[in-house]
Amino acid sequence: MITANDAAKVFDTVLSIPGMNEMVKMDLKISRKNVLLLSHLIQDGLKIREGSSVLLESISEQGKTELEGISQECLQKAGLIELHEKLAGISASVKG
């Protein structure tokens, strides 16, 4: 059985492969609904809970910032920033 420490080492190794930090241009067509869902998934995934995922726990602060930027850029391009913020407020009030 693989331990969490071993898994972290494997993920760190994979993320350190030459070329993994190279920028990749992507032409992506996605519905506004999926932009909202993707942004929510990114932001929720960055709220790392202990033991939730070895890979997510190993993300650097710079990596988190880049992912948040991607989320915001997608929302901006889709014209959904204000709607996303309102939905996040509703979601937060439900969670209590």
Side-chain angles (χ1 to χ4, degrees):
M1 176 155 210
I2 189 167
T3 67
N5 191 31
D6 292 336
K9 288 178 185 177
V10 169
F11 288 133
D12 185 51
T13 301
V14 170
L15 295 175
S16 298
I17 293 172
M20 289 298 280
N21 283 326
E22 292 177 8
M23 295 294 174
V24 177
K25 183 173 177 150
M26 300 177 73
D27 182 18
L28 179 66
K29 293 187 187 256
I30 182 172
S31 70
R32 284 188 168 91
K33 174 180 82 172
N34 285 335
V35 169
L36 279 172
L37 293 171
L38 178 62
S39 180
H40 180 78
L41 288 169
I42 289 171
Q43 292 178 358
D44 193 47
L46 291 175
K47 296 173 188 164
I48 299 164
R49 293 164 290 283
E50 178 120 6
S52 63
S53 168
V54 175
L55 178 58
L56 292 178
E57 289 176 0
S58 68
I59 296 174
S60 67
E61 286 303 314
Q62 179 183 358
K64 289 178 187 179
T65 302
E66 288 177 15
L67 287 171
E68 289 170 352
I70 291 168
S71 174
Q72 288 300 312
E73 182 179 351
C74 289
L75 289 169
Q76 181 181 13
K77 286 184 176 183
L80 297 171
I81 290 177
E82 187 176 344
L83 177 60
H84 175 73
E85 289 171 355
K86 289 181 180 183
L87 292 173
I90 292 169
S91 180
S93 69
V94 170
K95 290 181 182 178

